[in-house]
């Protein structure tokens, strides 16, 4: 899975995306100017291949939301839903389901297939990478709220990708810039960070994304980042937990991934560990190098998992943002989200300022 540079495809990108070894495109904020432009971009990507490339985005809410105006509702940080849980558990679950519905419906109306959400890391109060992206410190609260969010996404037909397995919330270092090391034992991780994945939630996830975190006291033998570890991905996630969906690597250009060598080494290590799709972001030169050299073969099991990836249903109300804006259940869900957002903005001046221009409905 690769990215593209701007608001429309270049000739070089069109050629690259037609390479059968490319399986998807991940979009970023730089790929978005307004609703019409985004729909044109996704339409162009979709028209390149049959079956079409998967179009994905990191769209969680809070500080990780790539599209915020003109057709997109500003979504609350997941920690806000966790805070609501303390006073109103059923209200928090309803709000989480509404957030999942709004998130998925607005993306689907713009031609996007998949969001890399929810974050299942625990809010341990120390991680620079996670912070307010996490629902809660209690793994059962995380599992319950995440399941509600995923259910809202499934109401639209969109798959969800839980991250960052087995857990990124306990390390202060940010794997975008550092190589985090979590010194805890396997039993501690199993009972805390992995607990949300042991919930019924795991059966509802279309995918899981592992962490670029090293767990030296939890893994037998020489430990490396979880995304390059067959122990974590094959033995624990696949065999012990029984996960049958897709495993997406995190971006292989993050600092936490560099321990596996050059780009071919990183992709090869991720593939051997059990990743089905490898994200190579923000370095088109490395994508070109990878395609010019040797990539791992795609096995039959990965092809089968890709073929069953849930995609947004072809409902008439998802045809475009204008159709979505006429759909009453979308408005009802959006009102729930805005109520939570108002609670969040009361304690966050930055969020309050964002509300004035970032919480308009689709269409």
């Amino acid at each position: 899975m690769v990215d593209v540079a701007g608001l429309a495809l270049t000739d070089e990108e069109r050629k690259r995306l037609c390479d059968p070894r490319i399986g998807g495109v991940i979009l970023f904020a730089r790929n978005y100017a307004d609703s019409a432009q985004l729909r044109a971009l996704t339409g162009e990507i979709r028209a390149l291949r049959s079956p079409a490339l998967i179009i994905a985005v990191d769209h969680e809410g809070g500080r990780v939301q790539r599209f915020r105006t003109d057709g997109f509702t500003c979504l609350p940080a997941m920690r806000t839903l966790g805070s609501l849980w303390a006073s109103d558990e059923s209200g928090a679950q309803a709000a989480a389901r509404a957030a999942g519905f709004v998130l998925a419906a607005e993306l689907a109306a713009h031609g996007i297939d998949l969001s890399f959400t929810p974050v299942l890391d625990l809010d341990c109060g120390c991680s620079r990478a996670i912070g307010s992206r996490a629902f809660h410190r209690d793994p059962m609260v995380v599992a319950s709220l995440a399941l509600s969010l995923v259910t809202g996404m499934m109401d639209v037909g969109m798959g969800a990708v839980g991250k960052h397995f087995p857990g990124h919330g306990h390390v202060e270092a940010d794997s975008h810039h550092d190589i985090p090391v979590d010194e805890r034992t396997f039993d501690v991780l199993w009972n805390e960070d992995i607990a949300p994945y042991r919930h019924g939630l795991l059966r509802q996830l279309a995918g899981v994304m592992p962490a670029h975190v090293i767990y030296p006291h939890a893994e037998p033998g020489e430990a490396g980042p979880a995304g390059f570890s067959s122990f974590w991905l094959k033995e624990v996630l696949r065999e012990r937990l029984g996960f049958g969906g897709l495993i997406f690597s995190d971006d292989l250009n993050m600092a936490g991934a560099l321990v596996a060598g050059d780009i071919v080494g990183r992709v090869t290590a991720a593939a051997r560990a059990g990743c089905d799709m490898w994200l190579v972001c923000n370095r088109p030169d490395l994508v070109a190098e990878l395609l010019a050299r040797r990539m791992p073969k795609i096995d039959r099991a990965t092809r089968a998992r890709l073929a069953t990836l849930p995609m947004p249903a072809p409902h008439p109300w998802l045809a475009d943002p204008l159709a979505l804006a006429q759909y009453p259940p979308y408005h009802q869900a959006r009102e729930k989200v805005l109520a939570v957002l108002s609670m969040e903005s009361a304690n966050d001046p930055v969020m309050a300022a964002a509300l004035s221009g970032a919480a308009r409905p689709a269409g």
Side-chain angles (χ1 to χ4, degrees):
M1 180 172 282
V2 302
D3 60 322
V4 295
L7 302 177
L9 298 181
T10 65
D11 289 341
E12 183 179 1
E13 287 168 343
R14 290 186 192 93
K15 181 179 179 181
R16 180 173 296 152
L17 295 180
C18 287
D19 190 305
R21 293 170 293 178
I22 302 296
V25 177
I26 180 169
L27 300 179
F28 291 91
R30 66 172 182 269
N31 303 123
Y32 171 71
D34 56 47
S35 179
Q37 169 272 324
L38 182 60
R39 279 182 50 78
L41 175 60
T42 60
E44 186 177 12
I45 294 169
R46 197 170 301 284
L48 288 172
R49 302 256 296 268
S50 182
L53 290 159
I54 299 165
I55 303 175
V57 66
D58 285 310
H59 201 79
E60 304 168 9
R63 63 186 172 93
V64 181
Q65 181 174 339
R66 305 307 187 202
F67 319 130
R68 291 180 178 271
T69 61
D70 189 21
F72 289 93
T73 301
C74 187
L75 300 167
M78 296 302 100
R79 178 187 281 169
T80 304
L81 296 171
S83 297
L84 179 59
W85 176 278
S87 59
D88 185 358
E89 293 183 12
S90 61
Q93 289 175 314
R97 182 167 181 171
F101 183 88
V102 171
L103 180 157
E106 291 177 350
L107 290 177
H110 286 84
I112 295 168
D113 303 310
L114 186 70
S115 179
F116 292 121
T117 192
V119 169
L120 300 180
D121 304 309
L122 304 186
D123 188 1
C124 298
C126 61
S127 175
R128 286 189 278 120
I130 305 304
S132 64
R133 298 166 66 192
F135 288 98
H136 205 273
R137 176 64 181 84
D138 185 328
M140 290 301 98
V141 176
V142 171
S144 295
L145 290 176
L147 180 59
S148 295
L149 184 98
V150 170
T151 301
M153 296 175 68
M154 291 172 61
D155 289 340
V156 178
M158 182 174 286
V161 179
K163 60 188 185 184
H164 306 82
F165 182 82
H168 201 315
H170 197 266
V171 288
E172 189 270 340
D174 184 342
S175 55
H176 291 86
H177 311 291
D178 302 298
I179 302 173
V181 177
D182 190 328
E183 302 284 357
R184 293 175 299 162
T185 65
F186 180 83
D187 286 345
V188 172
L189 286 159
W190 179 260
N191 290 319
E192 294 190 11
D193 301 64
I194 300 175
Y197 296 90
R198 294 161 52 202
H199 189 273
L201 165 68
L202 187 65
R203 294 191 297 274
Q204 307 303 322
L205 294 176
V208 166
M209 179 178 285
H212 289 320
V213 177
I214 300 172
Y215 307 87
H217 302 302
E219 180 176 355
E222 185 176 353
F228 300 135
S229 167
S230 60
F231 168 75
W232 286 115
L233 302 188
K234 292 180 179 178
E235 186 173 330
V236 179
L237 184 58
R238 290 284 189 216
E239 296 176 15
R240 190 161 177 176
L241 292 172
F243 180 63
L246 285 160
I247 301 177
F248 295 86
S249 82
D250 208 341
D251 179 12
L252 295 177
N253 285 321
M254 290 164 57
L258 300 184
V259 296
D262 67 7
I263 190 59
V264 174
R266 284 173 249 160
V267 165
T268 301
R272 286 175 177 166
C275 287
D276 296 296
M277 185 168 279
W278 323 300
L279 275 70
V280 182
C281 305
N282 301 311
R283 288 292 302 273
D285 58 319
L286 294 185
V287 175
E289 178 184 343
L290 183 61
L291 295 176
R293 293 171 65 187
R294 183 174 179 272
M295 286 179 64
K297 292 183 178 179
I298 310 302
D299 65 25
R300 194 172 294 176
T302 286
R303 292 187 186 279
R305 286 189 283 266
L306 283 167
T308 58
L309 179 69
M311 291 290 179
H315 298 302
W317 47 272
L318 289 174
D320 54 48
L322 183 60
L324 181 60
Q326 311 306 313
Y327 188 57
Y330 163 71
H331 285 281
Q332 294 162 10
R334 190 171 177 277
E335 287 302 315
K336 287 188 175 73
V337 171
L338 292 179
V340 174
L341 197 65
S342 296
M343 180 182 76
E344 180 179 75
S345 67
N347 299 311
D348 186 343
V350 175
M351 182 59 69
L355 278 173
S356 61
R360 295 195 297 271

